[in-house]
Amino acid sequence: MEGRGGETALMGGNYDPGMVGRLREDGYESRSGSDNVEGSGDDQEAGNDQGPAKKKKYHRHTPNQIQELEGFFKECPHPDEKQRLELSRKLGLEIKQVKFWFQNRRTQMKTQLERHENIILRQENDKLRAENTLMRDAMANPVCNNCGGPAIPGQISFEEHQLRIENGRLKDELNRICALANKFLGRPLSSLATSIPLPSSTSSLELGVGRNGIGGLSSMGAPLPMGLDLGDGIMGASAMPLIKPPMSFMGNQIPMDSTMFMDLALTAMDELIKMAQADSSLWIKSLDGGKETLNQEEYVRAFSPCIGTKPVGFVTEATRDTGMVIMNSLALVETLMDEGRWKEMFPCIIARASTIDLISNGIAGTKNGALQVMHAELQVLSPFVSVRQLKFLRYCKQQAEGVWAVVDVSIDISIESTNMHPFVNCRRLPSGCVVQDMPNGYSKVTWIEHSEYNESGIHELYQPFIRAGMGFGAQRWVATLQRQSEFLAILMSSTFPIEDHTTLSPAGKRSMLKLAQRMTDKFCSGVCASTTHKWDNLRLGNVSENVRVMTRRNLDDPGEPHGIVVSAATSVWMPVSQQGLFDFLRDERSRSQWDILCVGRPIQEMIHIAKGQKQGNCVSLLRGNSTNENESNMLILQETWTDASGSVVVYAPVDAPSINVVMGGGDSTYVALLPSGFSILPDDQSFFGGPQICNGTVIKEDNNGSDGSGGCLLTVGFQILINSQPAAKLTVESVETVNNLISCTIQKIKAALKMP
């Protein structure tokens, strides 16, 4: 089967049983998509003019080729022309062979699925036919319960009366379950429309009682809806998501908590779709047509609170943003529904993520209808903003061909059956994204963020920033998604856009990128104090109240030095633009002006691995050449990136033997790192009117930066090994040293940029 003809026959709207039979006769199943047929349709036609057609030649792929193709198929079952070309080059195959392999693999999966569904349908049909025959016989020959003879028309026994009452209750229960299932699937169950008429009988009993008190027919004479497990162990062939106990349909009733979870997910999805509409009156655009603000009055009229009223003391933030992403909708949905890949896609926003319970795993191997309970910790890179603890439902639904929606909504305390986090500082109202495939291989993403949070855990300097939706808002999610998807596209490419002074293999570059990501994750953990690492707060010596100092003892983590580690971080407002400060801090030529470790050392960039098209999004290896013969050269691993939501500069000293192993493609897990760095957030003057006051003093003037582009919020963080002995005691002098290092660094930056 070549081209798209066979694929359309099985995957399109018309089902061809003969095609399945021919596939079986040709031994298609035994090849499992690992063989390719040589010769195209045009070649065969040309051969017919010269004589009998030659027998097709089959080429079996090598195990390595099959493994690579299967791995790529799991991530992307429909590769585009560019991806097929890259696979053909990588595996040494013709692009036509790769194309046919994916067509055959998709067709094989479809065939196996249809065969399995046919078996289930035949079993269900035989079972219903047998039950129908028994019920017809029972209704045609009613028996009197008292004498055992034929029943007299018009008489109704007590048992029959009770059965009528029970049947009425079961009918209502079944209708409720079917309505809920139809709503959950987003389309009607076709089996409900099929009615099997019963012959007339002298008995007025509508339904005999079968297994589980229901039997094979509903009280209306129709078959039970396929896809609902009614205790006989057989699921119908309808595309009903698999529901995990105790959330599953058991017998003829649904536990109350699963019903409420499903209703909550469906209500949240409906709200998200309406809020994502481009012409919605729920949003008010700014005068420049950029930022959108939620129309609270219109929102209250349009929606009822789905998780209860707003707690006392909580404030509301709501944002919406739209952007183009280098990723198809199916791949993005798979990423969002997997907690590990979700965290990797948003590394500086998500500190921690886990799936607590999988309620539904979707329909027919896809994420359509998937519903799960998740826990996450969201962060802004500043010690002045507390980490948001969230426990929420995540529901995914396909809206149309190439259009998906994923919605999150917090589980309210009143409907949750498990214990929530002891301190809930945020509630996630229906939030998420709508993803639409575009013709050029991109996706259009519309992101909605709507939350209620406790503002008491946020420093006065950051309260306007968070309230404006710039810390956890949609703009930050979209900007991060665009930057990370661009990086993943580069990572999957066969060539890296790299400018380096040393030739690195692809494996070496990937090891360097993996090490840099671990370094940045550790930096974020030290700044935000998430539960990813166990930190103990300190308040010793003459430490400023705006500097958060924490410590922990590393005993067995090979990724950082053993001993007592101290982390210190603080945030300040700077009268310079985000981009200006980022360019200054990432430039190795100006490093000696603020880094005390680089004073007197000329800095040279040895390796430069680009992570995107934007200048500054890269991983670098810097070398500080010592002017003293008695001192060795210093190596610094550095990662920098910037987007509309902020900028990051993270670095850590590394030793030459370890980094040489990594550059050779070796394991980076055992490279000990203690990262330090900076986080720079934009300070949009349009959202902050007037100076900001903290403890009676002005902490941010109402003026523009030195370049006329407003100011920015700078976070400085250091992690230092105080003592290599984990059992040693922490001294006041060591804590004050870290505090002085932060103060000195900030003063040096201000002096270099000629700030007051």
Side-chain angles (χ1 to χ4, degrees):
M1 184 176 60
E2 301 174 3
R4 295 188 175 271
E7 181 183 355
T8 305
L10 288 177
M11 301 185 68
N14 297 325
Y15 175 74
D16 184 3
M19 178 67 69
V20 178
R22 290 192 295 273
L23 287 172
R24 294 197 184 106
E25 294 172 1
D26 294 340
Y28 176 81
E29 295 173 305
S30 64
R31 292 193 292 273
S32 301
S34 63
D35 296 339
N36 273 288
V37 181
E38 185 180 277
S40 63
D42 296 337
D43 296 336
Q44 296 176 22
E45 293 176 3
N48 291 337
D49 297 338
Q50 300 176 0
K54 295 182 180 180
K55 186 177 181 179
K56 300 176 181 178
K57 296 181 180 180
Y58 292 94
H59 296 283
R60 181 172 296 277
H61 299 322
T62 65
N64 182 56
Q65 290 173 335
I66 296 174
Q67 183 179 3
E68 291 289 338
L69 290 169
E70 289 286 357
F72 194 90
F73 182 83
K74 292 179 181 179
E75 299 294 332
C76 180
H78 294 271
D80 55 24
E81 189 70 25
K82 181 179 178 181
Q83 291 171 321
R84 291 197 297 268
L85 179 60
E86 291 177 357
L87 279 173
S88 66
R89 291 175 178 173
K90 180 179 179 181
L91 301 178
L93 299 173
E94 296 181 4
I95 188 171
K96 186 182 295 185
Q97 289 179 295
V98 176
K99 176 181 177 182
F100 288 167
W101 188 92
F102 276 90
Q103 289 179 355
N104 294 343
R105 191 71 178 87
R106 291 193 299 265
T107 305
Q108 181 195 23
M109 290 188 65
K110 185 68 175 178
T111 303
Q112 292 173 347
L113 178 62
E114 289 179 343
R115 185 179 298 114
H116 177 69
E117 290 180 346
N118 287 338
I119 292 173
I120 295 178
L121 281 172
R122 283 195 295 269
Q123 292 174 347
E124 186 71 13
N125 190 34
D126 293 341
K127 179 190 65 176
L128 292 176
R129 185 180 293 109
E131 291 180 351
N132 190 20
T133 301
L134 292 175
M135 293 193 65
R136 287 174 183 267
D137 293 341
M139 298 181 70
N141 303 287
V143 178
C144 178
N145 292 330
N146 296 325
C147 63
I152 300 175
Q155 290 186 347
I156 300 178
S157 66
F158 175 77
E159 289 80 3
E160 291 177 348
H161 180 70
Q162 293 298 317
L163 285 176
R164 283 189 175 187
I165 297 176
E166 179 68 11
N167 286 337
R169 185 188 69 80
L170 292 176
K171 175 183 175 182
D172 294 338
E173 181 71 13
L174 181 60
N175 290 337
R176 186 180 71 84
I177 294 175
C178 294
L180 181 61
N182 293 345
K183 187 178 180 183
F184 186 79
L185 289 173
R187 58 181 177 80
L189 294 173
S190 58
S191 58
L192 290 177
T194 305
S195 177
I196 302 177
L198 298 178
S200 58
S201 171
T202 55
S203 173
S204 60
L205 183 61
E206 294 179 347
L207 177 64
V209 179
R211 289 187 299 272
N212 299 320
I214 295 183
L217 300 174
S218 71
S219 59
M220 298 299 294
L224 290 175
M226 297 181 183
L228 295 179
D229 187 357
L230 299 177
D232 55 7
I234 299 178
M235 293 292 292
S238 176
M240 180 68 186
L242 297 177
I243 307 294
K244 169 185 172 184
M247 316 298 288
S248 61
F249 301 118
M250 304 299 293
N252 57 3
Q253 56 185 325
I254 303 179
M256 184 60 67
D257 56 344
S258 65
T259 304
M260 302 182 79
F261 282 162
M262 290 178 185
D263 286 340
L264 177 59
L266 294 167
T267 302
M269 178 63 73
D270 180 67
E271 180 173 324
L272 176 74
I273 296 301
K274 292 180 180 178
M275 294 184 70
Q277 294 177 359
D279 56 349
S280 174
S281 60
L282 293 167
W283 299 94
I284 303 174
K285 287 189 176 181
S286 59
L287 296 178
D288 59 359
K291 185 177 177 63
E292 293 179 306
T293 305
L294 182 64
N295 187 338
Q296 292 290 348
E297 295 182 358
E298 187 69 23
Y299 175 81
V300 172
R301 285 196 295 265
F303 306 106
S304 300
C306 60
I307 56 173
T309 58
K310 181 169 67 175
V312 178
F314 277 39
V315 296
T316 303
E317 66 172 79
T319 54
R320 183 174 75 168
D321 196 20
T322 302
M324 304 297 293
V325 177
I326 311 177
M327 185 180 292
N328 62 58
S329 62
L330 187 60
L332 180 53
V333 166
E334 293 282 350
T335 298
L336 295 176
M337 299 305 293
D338 182 277
E339 74 274 10
R341 294 167 61 184
W342 181 47
K343 183 183 182 304
E344 291 177 358
M345 183 63 72
F346 304 94
C348 291
I349 301 179
I350 304 170
R352 193 171 188 176
S354 61
T355 299
I356 300 174
D357 191 15
L358 181 62
I359 301 175
S360 169
N361 57 4
I363 301 172
T366 71
K367 294 301 180 182
N368 186 21
L371 179 63
Q372 57 198 37
V373 182
M374 301 185 68
H375 173 266
E377 296 179 11
L378 307 184
Q379 62 190 6
V380 169
L381 296 184
S382 172
F384 289 0
V385 182
S386 59
V387 175
R388 288 188 175 180
Q389 302 280 350
L390 292 171
K391 196 167 188 179
F392 55 93
L393 287 175
R394 173 161 291 181
Y395 176 47
C396 175
K397 185 177 180 181
Q398 186 175 13
Q399 305 296 320
E401 183 67 27
V403 181
W404 293 77
V406 178
V407 66
D408 296 344
V409 59
S410 285
I411 301 177
D412 196 64
I413 299 176
S414 61
I415 70 169
E416 191 193 8
S417 59
T418 59
N419 294 327
M420 293 193 68
H421 192 271
F423 176 65
V424 180
N425 60 357
C426 177
R427 302 198 317 163
R428 193 170 174 86
L429 277 67
S431 305
C433 62
V434 177
V435 189
Q436 179 181 0
D437 280 331
M438 304 303 289
N440 57 0
Y442 283 60
S443 293
K444 179 182 178 182
V445 178
T446 301
W447 203 287
I448 305 291
E449 281 296 319
H450 194 187
S451 301
E452 297 171 344
Y453 63 95
N454 190 341
E455 201 173 40
S456 62
I458 302 174
H459 192 279
E460 289 89 338
L461 177 64
Y462 275 79
Q463 286 184 1
F465 178 84
I466 300 299
R467 198 180 301 127
M470 300 177 67
F472 298 96
Q475 181 191 32
R476 188 182 178 202
W477 289 92
V478 172
T480 303
L481 180 60
Q482 290 174 324
R483 174 171 50 81
Q484 286 292 101
S485 63
E486 183 181 18
F487 165 60
L488 291 178
I490 294 175
L491 192 63
M492 294 179 62
S493 176
S494 57
T495 59
F496 277 79
I498 181 172
E499 304 171 1
D500 59 3
H501 304 286
T502 303
T503 302
L504 294 180
S505 65
K509 295 165 188 174
R510 288 182 172 87
S511 294
M512 289 283 288
L513 292 171
K514 184 177 180 180
L515 179 61
Q517 183 60 60
R518 178 163 66 87
M519 176 183 66
T520 303
D521 290 343
K522 281 185 174 290
F523 170 76
C524 296
S525 172
V527 169
C528 302
S530 66
T531 60
T532 306
H533 295 285
K534 176 63 177 177
W535 292 98
D536 297 321
N537 288 316
L538 286 179
R539 181 58 64 183
L540 295 175
N542 187 22
V543 179
S544 171
E545 63 178 7
N546 289 328
V547 177
R548 181 167 63 192
V549 181
M550 303 180 298
T551 183
R552 64 191 182 94
R553 301 176 188 271
N554 179 35
L555 300 176
D556 53 6
D557 184 0
E560 68 178 31
H562 290 188
I564 302 177
V565 178
V566 171
S567 172
T570 190
S571 297
V572 295
W573 182 79
M574 304 287 282
V576 64
S577 68
Q578 168 199 342
Q579 188 64 42
L581 185 56
F582 172 71
D583 290 337
F584 170 75
L585 293 175
R586 73 178 180 87
D587 191 348
E588 68 274 9
R589 295 170 298 181
S590 60
R591 191 180 192 92
S592 60
Q593 300 182 48
W594 56 266
D595 192 346
I596 62 174
L597 298 178
C598 297
V599 175
R601 292 176 180 263
I603 304 299
Q604 177 186 1
E605 185 181 53
M606 299 176 59
I607 301 294
H608 181 99
I609 305 176
K611 295 184 63 177
Q613 299 297 327
K614 184 174 290 187
Q615 187 178 10
N617 290 1
C618 63
V619 172
S620 306
L621 183 64
L622 309 177
R623 181 174 63 189
N625 299 316
S626 176
T627 57
N628 190 340
E629 296 181 356
N630 298 326
E631 296 180 359
S632 60
N633 295 332
M634 179 177 57
L635 295 177
I636 300 174
L637 178 66
Q638 178 174 281
E639 179 177 14
T640 61
W641 57 258
T642 185
D643 56 36
S645 66
S647 307
V648 163
V649 177
V650 183
Y651 61 93
V654 292
D655 60 272
S658 298
I659 202 66
N660 285 333
V661 172
V662 176
M663 289 191 295
D667 188 6
S668 63
T669 305
Y670 299 97
V671 179
L673 293 173
L674 281 179
S676 302
F678 309 93
S679 169
I680 311 167
L681 301 178
D683 187 359
D684 193 339
Q685 294 289 333
S686 64
F687 298 113
F688 310 130
Q692 301 300 315
I693 309 298
C694 176
N695 296 329
T697 59
V698 177
I699 58 176
K700 190 185 73 172
E701 298 288 351
D702 185 20
N703 61 342
N704 290 333
S706 57
D707 60 355
S709 302
C712 66
L713 297 169
L714 172 66
T715 295
V716 184
F718 287 97
Q719 294 183 32
I720 299 176
L721 181 67
I722 298 298
N723 197 312
S724 59
Q725 300 297 325
K729 292 184 178 180
L730 190 64
T731 62
V732 175
E733 291 76 11
S734 60
V735 176
E736 292 181 346
T737 299
V738 180
N739 178 68
N740 294 335
L741 178 59
I742 286 186
S743 301
C744 180
T745 302
I746 294 175
Q747 292 302 323
K748 283 180 173 292
I749 294 174
K750 289 184 176 181
L753 297 177
K754 299 180 181 180
M755 300 179 188

